[in-house]
């Protein structure tokens, strides 16, 4: 169920649309978005970057395990930042 919902939201992004459970991920850039989904009391996230060249890059997908607050854990943020930088470099090299 979660994979299908996230896949549909990602497909909508590829078509230039945005569904209701997608929000900007703060602190990483204007083109980084987070798909938020809940299933059986678990929280799932998929972070992707748009406006990186002509492509959409999936930067990270994970089940949120943190029991404290709604913030994305620092390890996940660090991984997303690194992959976002790599995606920007990849897109730059494709031009």
């Amino acid at each position: 169920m979660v994979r299908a919902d996230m896949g549909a939201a990602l497909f909508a992004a590829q078509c230039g649309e945005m569904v209701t459970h997608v929000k900007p991920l703060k602190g990483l850039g204007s083109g980084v978005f987070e798909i938020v989904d809940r299933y059986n009391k678990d929280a799932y996230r998929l972070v992707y970057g748009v406006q990186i060249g002509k492509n959409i890059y999936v930067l990270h997908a994970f089940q949120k395990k943190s029991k404290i607050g709604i913030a994305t854990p620092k390890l996940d943020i660090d991984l997303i930042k690194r992959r976002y930088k790599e995606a920007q470099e990849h897109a730059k090299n494709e031009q």
Side-chain angles (χ1 to χ4, degrees), residues 5-6 8-10 12-13 17-25 32-37 46 48:
D5 289 346
M6 292 205 173
L10 197 56
E17 302 168 8
M18 191 177 295
V19 294
T20 58
H21 56 284
V22 174
K23 62 182 183 176
L25 185 63
V32 179
F33 294 90
E34 179 179 37
I35 301 170
V36 179
D37 205 354
L46 185 142
Y48 65 93

Side-chain angles (χ1 to χ4, degrees), residues 31-33 47-52 55-59 84:
V32 179
F33 294 90
V47 179
Y48 65 93
V50 296
Q51 301 172 352
I52 306 174
N55 301 314
I56 291 179
Y57 290 84
V58 173
L59 304 173
Y84 184 53

Side-chain angles (χ1 to χ4, degrees), residues 46-85:
L46 185 142
V47 179
Y48 65 93
V50 296
Q51 301 172 352
I52 306 174
K54 296 182 275 184
N55 301 314
I56 291 179
Y57 290 84
V58 173
L59 304 173
H60 192 33
F62 58 101
Q63 179 181 356
K64 187 173 171 294
K65 301 273 186 173
S66 175
K67 303 294 183 204
I68 302 170
I70 61 170
T72 303
K74 183 180 178 343
L75 288 175
D76 290 308
I77 291 293
D78 291 344
L79 178 62
I80 292 165
K81 284 180 180 179
R82 189 182 84 235
R83 289 180 177 171
Y84 184 53
K85 184 177 178 180

